[in-house]
Amino acid sequence: MASGLQCPDKHTSMNVEAVLHMKSGLGESSYAQNSSHQKKSTETLRSLVMDSATLVYEALRPESFTVADLGCASGTNALGVVEAIVRGVGEACRGRGPSSSSPPPEFSVLLNDLASNDFNTVFARAPEVAGRLKADAGAVVFLSGVPGSFYGRLFLCRSVHLVCSFNSLHWLSQVPAGLRDETNKPLNKGKMFISSTSSPAVPAAYLRQFQKDFNLFLRSRGAEVVSGGRMVLSMLCRETEDYTDVKMTLLWDLLSESLAALVSQVSCMMPFRLLSVVSSCRLLVATDRSDPCVRKQNGSLGQEVRWCGGAGTARAGCGGRLRRPVLRAERTGDRGGGEQGGLLQPGLRADVRRQPEQRRRR
Amino acid sequence: MASGLQCPDKHTSMNVEAVLHMKSGLGESSYAQNSSHQKKSTETLRSLVMDSATLVYEALRPESFTVADLGCASGTNALGVVEAIVRGVGEACRGRGPSSSSPPPEFSVLLNDLASNDFNTVFARAPEVAGRLKADAGAVVFLSGVPGSFYGRLFLCRSVHLVCSFNSLHWLSQVPAGLRDETNKPLNKGKMFISSTSSPAVPAAYLRQFQKDFNLFLRSRGAEVVSGGRMVLSMLCRETEDYTDVKMTLLWDLLSESLAALVSQVSCMMPFRLLSVVSSCRLLVATDRSDPCVRKQNGSLGQEVRWCGGAGTARAGCGGRLRRPVLRAERTGDRGGGEQGGLLQPGLRADVRRQPEQRRRR
């Protein structure tokens, strides 16, 4: 879970950011017990994350090393990534041999999600993880939780060396504006996603929202990441050009029908419109430079975006073939101004990779 | 709640730090709904905290200002202190007049308590508080939760400008060692506090534990606080010299009897020994330089400790008159060495004040 949703349309405005979250706790139906798919996905990126962390450390050699995980949710996946990063940097310190080895830096690990996320469950494992890293790798690790939407500032200026975000950036900050006509009638009535019956205005509205959100994400991180710092981002995407490919929408069709059946039994159980953006995870995330969104980001933020990975794909449970591109970005310097406390123009150079082919069919 | 308790004695060892916490949530019996006494106590220190924050800011003029609240618990008291600090520094920035006013720094607020604390309840109010401070004071505030015992390192080296801790430092890190005789029989059998029936070894054991804990507390903060940073600490203390003054022990007598009655109905409901240290809040905290503990700290850590407040006292609900001294400490420089990631010898100059007289009888 990465960010809250708000429906900006008349009569349906609601700050979902304050209430929406992954299922808390450790029970049978909790996110912690039902996030093995995300775990596997993150594990395939482990070496890439370790490489990025090591590169930043080698380049900057900071006394302390700060890592941020955006959209940590309430499971254990985030702490697994933390362990990989700490061990990777620790090995880099020891790798120079006894004569030139250096002590590892102190690590600050900032675990972010919405304020409604179940941080208590994350923190319950924190002492164990910190203790293990101290015992095994001699690393001093300080864990903290940072509540808030990553579509905005979260950390102090120039304070983070490495930003990671896995399976989160396909969540938009809110249901897009523009999903009602001039008479305030819903354009996508009866659907919670971009379907074959949606008017062209619907995918256009989602695209605008993604552009706005991702722009703000980059500007925020641009202010927070130190010069020479890096980002590793992964997100779900569609592989086909067709927004309404049934392979992409089958899951949402089934979910939509189930929710409709529930609502017919319990009136106003859930605001449908608020769930619409779940479809954005496949429909609107930039996948390559032919995507209008990526071109827009290129133009406005001066990023260099290129594919440099293989043609790996993952097969999703719904039968669709999903791309899961990885965005690696390096902050190359302070090119922008901006007042203190405001948002700075980022100098981010992005490097988009497709995820390495996954060996296991899910 | 400040730290966990561990019983080091044979057959009763248990990591209470992992499970003991203030009552979570917002229900009728929660800490959040039953901490008005602590709130009033903290509010009387508001101006002192604001003064300290302003002094640090004026002296250092940092681009970002980091505040740590140790033992924040799950109520709203901690966020009230945060607001006071941010507004105080903001006023200091504006106070120079339009020609010389400066923008306020970015604020990082680190809310600490044990990992078992209910951070979810604290975070639920975080967006509201940050939003209000942004709107009212133009301040950019980043809140985060830091799980862990303050009897050890919590933050990166030289990263904190102001440390606060209210009503927490009377909690020891564990039940003291030495509460059993050579045949492993309890010395304080049947009591959960230092009572008139306790042998002299019992208060001596608590004193040793306090000395050990507070020494570690100061060493840890000494590594974390920037040169020129400050601490404001308040804690409950006894006013009389007599450890067993009935005014001091009445509350624990009643609590002990209630717990004994419960345990007689439900066997092994609660490990008695683990609760023993609650008595330490009045029996072992250093109150003036005649106290052996303060003298010990003076000797080993080079602090200057002096009384500079009035003779104010507060009347407690149990009928006892309690001192609530305030310890203000300023880090005067890096005098110690120590390996990176380890504990540095602190250069803390402490300034102990009694709390200003409270006007309202509780």
Side-chain angles (χ1 to χ4, degrees):
Chain A
M1 179 68 207
S3 178
L5 315 173
Q6 285 181 311
C7 181
D9 294 326
K10 199 176 174 184
H11 304 309
T12 54
S13 178
M14 181 179 174
N15 184 2
V16 186
E17 183 176 314
V19 295
L20 201 66
H21 53 79
M22 296 295 101
K23 184 80 162 68
S24 61
L26 294 169
E28 191 180 359
S29 62
S30 66
Y31 178 83
Q33 301 292 340
N34 293 275
S35 51
S36 59
H37 180 80
Q38 290 87 337
K39 183 180 182 182
K40 287 173 190 165
S41 159
T42 305
E43 281 177 351
T44 63
L45 301 173
R46 189 177 292 247
S47 65
L48 189 148
V49 175
M50 288 174 70
D51 287 350
S52 297
T54 306
L55 284 169
V56 173
Y57 177 73
E58 293 284 2
L60 303 179
R61 308 277 297 161
E63 190 177 76
S64 60
F65 192 87
T66 299
V67 181
D69 185 330
L70 309 186
C72 66
S74 54
T76 59
N77 298 346
L79 293 175
V81 175
V82 168
E83 289 205 50
I85 291 170
V86 171
R87 291 179 193 278
V89 173
E91 285 170 14
C93 293
R94 287 190 298 273
R96 296 192 184 87
S99 60
S100 59
S101 68
S102 57
E106 291 186 346
F107 290 88
S108 173
V109 177
L110 312 170
L111 301 173
N112 156 259
D113 212 306
L114 291 177
S116 50
N117 182 56
D118 181 10
F119 282 95
N120 288 352
T121 298
V122 180
F123 286 172
R125 275 199 63 219
E128 172 203 335
V129 172
R132 189 164 59 236
L133 288 169
K134 175 74 176 169
D136 296 352
V140 178
V141 180
F142 304 115
L143 285 156
S144 56
V146 182
S149 168
F150 52 50
Y151 294 124
R153 289 285 307 280
L154 292 166
F155 316 115
L156 293 173
C157 271
R158 295 177 290 283
S159 63
V160 183
H161 296 91
L162 180 68
V163 170
C164 301
S165 182
F166 307 107
N167 301 302
S168 296
L169 269 164
H170 42 259
W171 290 93
L172 301 180
S173 69
Q174 61 177 52
V175 173
L179 291 178
R180 289 177 181 266
D181 65 16
E182 62 278 3
T183 63
N184 206 33
K185 287 181 182 170
L187 292 174
N188 205 21
K189 191 177 179 183
K191 291 290 182 183
M192 52 174 275
F193 59 97
I194 302 172
S195 73
S196 56
T197 62
S198 300
S199 75
V202 174
Y206 277 96
L207 179 58
R208 283 195 302 275
Q209 187 63 47
F210 176 81
Q211 290 171 333
K212 181 180 172 185
D213 285 343
F214 199 59
N215 198 310
L216 184 54
F217 177 90
L218 290 176
R219 284 175 175 271
S220 302
R221 302 297 85 74
E224 295 160 354
V225 175
V226 302
S227 181
R230 286 175 181 250
M231 293 202 297
V232 180
L233 314 175
S234 80
M235 58 196 97
L236 288 175
C237 295
R238 63 185 161 81
E239 191 176 38
T240 68
E241 294 295 323
D242 183 9
Y243 284 118
T244 61
D245 182 350
V246 68
K247 290 176 182 172
M248 301 293 103
T249 59
L250 178 61
L251 185 66
W252 312 123
D253 272 321
L254 296 172
L255 183 59
S256 181
E257 285 175 19
S258 301
L259 288 169
L262 284 171
V263 171
S264 69
Q265 295 169 32
V266 184
S267 63
C268 296
M269 178 185 173
M270 189 178 291
F272 252 37
R273 187 164 300 280
L274 296 172
L275 282 178
S276 301
V277 294
V278 297
S279 60
S280 69
C281 66
R282 295 180 188 179
L283 301 181
L284 290 175
V285 173
T287 55
D288 60 39
R289 59 190 321 153
S290 67
D291 186 298
C293 177
V294 174
R295 279 188 273 113
K296 177 64 163 48
Q297 298 294 341
N298 278 339
S300 64
L301 294 177
Q303 294 168 63
E304 177 195 354
V305 180
R306 63 179 186 276
W307 288 101
C308 48
T313 57
R315 189 170 294 274
C318 62
R321 291 168 64 84
L322 301 178
R323 280 179 182 160
R324 188 175 289 109
V326 182
L327 177 65
R328 296 213 302 188
E330 180 178 1
R331 179 169 172 160
T332 52
D334 289 333
R335 298 201 313 216
E339 59 185 352
Q340 190 183 40
L343 295 175
L344 303 179
Q345 187 74 11
L348 284 164
R349 188 178 66 209
D351 174 11
V352 177
R353 293 188 181 198
R354 284 201 235 181
Q355 192 175 23
E357 188 152 10
Q358 295 178 31
R359 292 176 181 82
R360 183 168 175 179
R361 182 188 174 100
R362 292 172 191 163
Chain B
M1 179 69 206
S3 178
L5 315 173
Q6 285 180 311
C7 181
D9 293 326
K10 199 176 173 183
H11 304 309
T12 54
S13 179
M14 181 179 174
N15 184 2
V16 186
E17 183 176 314
V19 295
L20 201 65
H21 52 80
M22 296 295 101
K23 184 80 161 69
S24 61
L26 294 168
E28 191 180 0
S29 62
S30 66
Y31 178 84
Q33 301 292 341
N34 293 276
S35 51
S36 58
H37 180 79
Q38 290 86 338
K39 183 179 181 182
K40 287 173 189 165
S41 159
T42 305
E43 280 177 351
T44 62
L45 301 173
R46 189 176 291 246
S47 64
L48 189 148
V49 175
M50 287 174 70
D51 286 351
S52 296
T54 306
L55 284 169
V56 173
Y57 177 73
E58 293 284 2
L60 303 178
R61 309 276 299 161
E63 190 177 75
S64 60
F65 192 87
T66 299
V67 181
D69 184 331
L70 309 186
C72 66
S74 55
T76 59
N77 298 346
L79 293 175
V81 175
V82 168
E83 288 205 50
I85 291 170
V86 171
R87 291 179 193 278
V89 173
E91 285 171 14
C93 293
R94 286 190 298 275
R96 296 192 184 88
S99 60
S100 59
S101 67
S102 57
E106 291 186 346
F107 290 88
S108 173
V109 177
L110 311 171
L111 301 173
N112 156 259
D113 211 306
L114 291 177
S116 51
N117 182 56
D118 181 10
F119 282 95
N120 288 352
T121 298
V122 180
F123 287 172
R125 275 198 64 218
E128 172 203 335
V129 172
R132 188 164 60 237
L133 288 169
K134 175 73 176 170
D136 297 351
V140 178
V141 180
F142 305 115
L143 285 156
S144 56
V146 182
S149 168
F150 52 50
Y151 294 124
R153 289 286 306 281
L154 291 167
F155 316 114
L156 293 173
C157 271
R158 295 178 290 283
S159 63
V160 183
H161 296 91
L162 180 68
V163 169
C164 301
S165 182
F166 307 107
N167 302 301
S168 296
L169 269 164
H170 43 259
W171 290 94
L172 300 180
S173 69
Q174 61 177 52
V175 173
L179 291 178
R180 289 176 181 267
D181 65 17
E182 62 279 3
T183 63
N184 206 33
K185 287 181 182 170
L187 293 174
N188 205 21
K189 192 177 179 183
K191 291 289 183 184
M192 52 174 275
F193 59 97
I194 302 172
S195 73
S196 57
T197 62
S198 300
S199 75
V202 174
Y206 277 96
L207 179 58
R208 284 195 302 274
Q209 187 63 46
F210 175 81
Q211 290 171 333
K212 181 180 173 186
D213 285 342
F214 199 59
N215 198 309
L216 184 53
F217 177 91
L218 290 176
R219 285 175 175 270
S220 301
R221 302 297 86 75
E224 295 161 354
V225 175
V226 301
S227 180
R230 286 173 182 251
M231 293 201 298
V232 180
L233 314 175
S234 80
M235 59 197 96
L236 288 175
C237 295
R238 63 185 161 80
E239 191 175 38
T240 68
E241 293 295 323
D242 183 9
Y243 284 118
T244 61
D245 183 349
V246 68
K247 290 177 182 172
M248 301 293 102
T249 59
L250 178 61
L251 185 66
W252 312 122
D253 272 322
L254 296 172
L255 183 60
S256 181
E257 285 176 19
S258 301
L259 288 169
L262 284 172
V263 171
S264 69
Q265 295 169 34
V266 184
S267 64
C268 296
M269 179 184 173
M270 189 179 291
F272 253 37
R273 186 164 301 281
L274 297 172
L275 282 178
S276 300
V277 294
V278 298
S279 60
S280 69
C281 66
R282 294 177 189 180
L283 301 180
L284 290 175
V285 173
T287 55
D288 60 39
R289 60 189 321 152
S290 67
D291 185 297
C293 177
V294 174
R295 279 188 273 113
K296 176 65 163 48
Q297 298 294 341
N298 278 338
S300 64
L301 295 176
Q303 295 168 63
E304 177 195 354
V305 180
R306 64 179 187 276
W307 288 102
C308 48
T313 58
R315 189 170 293 275
C318 63
R321 291 167 64 83
L322 301 179
R323 279 179 182 158
R324 188 174 290 109
V326 182
L327 177 65
R328 296 212 302 187
E330 179 179 0
R331 179 169 172 159
T332 51
D334 289 333
R335 299 200 314 215
E339 59 184 354
Q340 190 183 39
L343 295 175
L344 303 178
Q345 187 74 12
L348 284 164
R349 188 179 65 208
D351 174 11
V352 177
R353 294 188 180 197
R354 284 202 235 181
Q355 191 175 24
E357 188 152 11
Q358 295 177 32
R359 292 176 181 82
R360 183 169 175 178
R361 182 189 175 99
R362 293 173 192 163

